[in-house]
Amino acid sequence: MAETILEIRNLTTGFLSDQGMVKATDRVSLTLDKGQTLCVVGESGSGKSVTALSVVRLVDYAGGVIMDGQILFNGEDLAQKRQSEMLRIRGSLIAMIFQDPMSALNPVFTVGDQIAEVLQAHKHLNRKEAWHKSVEMLRLVGIPAPEIRAKQYPYEMSGGMCQRVVIAMALSCNPQLLIADEPTTALDVTVQAQILELLLQLKREFRMSMLLITHDMGVAAEVADRIAVMYAGTVVEEGTVEEIFGHPRHPYTMGLLRSIPGMDGNRGEELYTIKGAIPPISRLPSGCRFHSRCPYVMETCREKEPPLLETAAGHKAACWLSGTVGATQSATAAEDQQEREAVNGTGTEVGLP
Ligand SMILES: Nc1ncnc2c1ncn2[C@@H]1O[C@H](COP(=O)(O)OP(=O)(O)O)[C@@H](O)[C@H]1O
Ligand code: SF4
Ligand SMILES: [Mg+2]
């Protein structure tokens, strides 16, 4: 059996607002096995970043409160740790990369100095050793002429180069777990592919596990072993990359898949978009949170929240049509819908799957 490095159980993180505590994640449960990549996908505002920030407890500094749940990292509950302990864990065992590399770099220090500082603090190297290692790290992440680049400031580098520096900094302490939150979103398309490839290569070399957050299903398809789909603070579907792409059970996942440019079925067509918008966490609807946007909505959906249930081995979905019994119903509903579209000649906005 695969060994688990991170197990999030029923994580509920809230923020204080005018309406009292509002939940940005609600009973989120995720499991990441050693050496694997778990991708968390979903539209903007679905709670992906709050989940990641909760794991490393940086959410505390953003005004977030872990209201319930456990974050078991190698069996130890990070939700119960003091910030002084988290400081040590963040520097050495868990590293995090964010969307904007500039926010992670200090503009007034050279990139070499910034990596060296991390190494001095966490690996107790002296200045010379730390500088030498930081040049090595820059070489490892594919920065040409690293001896010269190490003496440069972030503003002298492109966005892609800066993200490489951030990756070098994150990996300099040899973490067991890398959390990357939209690490390629701010970069040019060609650079995105290079950075993804680099992350995958380094993950293998460093024998790391990776929690990768992305709004882009195309990225998840490239890198994930397992995928968790989040919507309005909850996990609505979770499974292997093959299951999620081959047999999606939740209408929201189906919509995300149809929105990928170049996916079978939408070549040459206007790109599909899921109608409507994700609800704000202060005004979540009753029942299924997706019901106002779902073409399959039934009366039950408006009243009762569907639980996350196993639909196939290792594949879960939270939809009244895709529970253990309903998996076939969902497929049938999808077929019915497609047939209706074919008969009625309706446009891309009508009918989800
Ligand atoms: N610091 C904060 N204070 C209040 N609400 C927040 C804060 N950070 C995030 N949220 C809210 O939590 C929800 C989830 O946000 P987030 O995790 O950033 O979404 P995602 O990363 O999936 O785009 C959003 O509704 C967002 O407005
Ligand atoms: S529970 Fe109902 S509204 Fe929610 S996704 Fe399933 S069919 Fe749609
Ligand atoms: Mg985010």
Side-chain angles (χ1 to χ4, degrees):
M1 250 237 345
E3 234 179 300
T4 297
I5 185 160
L6 179 70
E7 189 182 353
I8 302 174
R9 289 189 193 154
N10 290 319
L11 175 67
T12 303
T13 301
F15 291 95
L16 196 57
S17 76
D18 296 344
Q19 289 101 352
M21 259 332 216
V22 288
K23 295 172 182 173
T25 69
D26 196 356
R27 292 156 290 148
V28 166
S29 294
L30 297 170
T31 301
L32 170 60
D33 286 338
K34 277 195 176 147
Q36 298 254 301
T37 300
L38 170 67
C39 278
V40 179
V41 300
E43 289 165 296
S44 182
S46 53
K48 307 181 299 295
S49 293
V50 171
T51 302
L53 291 171
S54 299
V55 171
V56 289
R57 293 284 304 283
L58 287 174
V59 82
D60 304 27
Y61 297 108
V65 178
I66 295 179
M67 298 164 69
D68 197 12
Q70 293 175 302
I71 302 162
L72 301 174
F73 175 66
N74 288 325
E76 279 188 64
D77 189 3
L78 302 184
Q80 301 299 327
K81 297 271 182 213
R82 287 193 299 274
Q83 278 298 342
S84 54
E85 293 173 278
M86 285 309 300
L87 200 60
R88 183 183 55 80
I89 291 170
R90 280 197 297 269
S92 53
L93 300 173
I94 306 178
M96 195 156 172
I97 301 171
F98 298 95
Q99 177 174 332
D100 177 13
M102 285 307 185
S103 66
L105 296 172
N106 190 326
V108 301
F109 291 106
T110 66
V111 297
D113 274 336
Q114 294 186 54
I115 301 172
E117 193 192 323
V118 174
L119 287 161
Q120 281 180 276
H122 292 287
K123 290 278 170 186
H124 309 294
L125 302 183
N126 66 35
R127 239 191 98 65
K128 200 170 159 206
E129 291 166 336
W131 180 264
H132 183 73
K133 178 89 197 283
S134 83
V135 171
E136 278 316 298
M137 288 306 299
L138 291 176
R139 193 188 315 280
L140 193 78
V141 296
I143 293 190
E147 294 86 355
I148 297 166
R149 287 294 196 164
K151 293 178 188 150
Q152 292 186 325
Y153 292 87
Y155 72 85
E156 296 177 89
M157 298 184 161
S158 67
M161 281 294 165
C162 282
Q163 195 60 300
R164 283 176 194 265
V165 171
V166 172
I167 294 170
M169 199 156 34
L171 302 196
S172 59
C173 293
N174 212 348
Q176 298 175 9
L177 170 62
L178 179 66
I179 301 180
D181 188 353
E182 308 264 10
T184 61
T185 305
L187 307 173
D188 291 346
V189 178
T190 46
V191 182
Q192 282 185 14
Q194 292 164 9
I195 295 289
L196 268 188
E197 184 49 44
L198 175 70
L199 280 174
L200 281 183
Q201 175 207 326
L202 293 172
K203 183 190 142 258
R204 282 191 297 271
E205 277 176 31
F206 282 67
R207 296 166 191 269
M208 286 184 302
S209 314
M210 185 151 72
L211 179 67
L212 189 134
I213 289 168
T214 176
H215 66 277
D216 186 338
M217 283 296 252
V219 167
E222 297 276 326
V223 302
D225 294 300
R226 298 187 72 83
I227 295 179
V229 182
M230 283 189 73
Y231 185 79
T234 60
V235 175
V236 294
E237 185 157 13
E238 200 270 330
T240 62
V241 66
E242 294 82 10
E243 277 283 320
I244 297 288
F245 275 81
H247 311 283
R249 296 293 192 207
H250 198 286
Y252 180 59
T253 311
M254 296 174 194
L256 290 179
L257 291 174
R258 275 189 70 185
S259 315
I260 305 175
M263 275 293 278
D264 284 350
N266 70 15
R267 283 196 181 86
E269 282 178 25
E270 192 186 330
L271 200 58
Y272 179 80
T273 49
I274 305 172
K275 268 200 289 186
I278 202 160
I281 51 174
S282 54
R283 283 204 309 276
L284 291 175
S286 60
C288 171
R289 293 169 191 214
F290 188 58
H291 83 239
S292 65
R293 305 173 75 187
C294 181
Y296 298 112
V297 60
M298 307 170 291
E299 214 35 57
T300 322
C301 308
R302 296 192 178 91
E303 289 158 13
K304 289 200 294 187
E305 188 170 13
L308 189 66
L309 293 178
E310 193 153 65
T311 60
H315 186 169
K316 292 179 189 159
C319 170
W320 289 120
L321 286 173
S322 64
T324 33
V325 183
T328 42
Q329 274 174 284
S330 174
T332 314
E335 281 155 20
D336 287 349
Q337 183 69 31
Q338 275 164 0
E339 203 172 305
R340 275 198 298 278
E341 280 184 33
V343 171
N344 298 331
T346 45
T348 50
E349 288 274 299
V350 181
L352 195 62

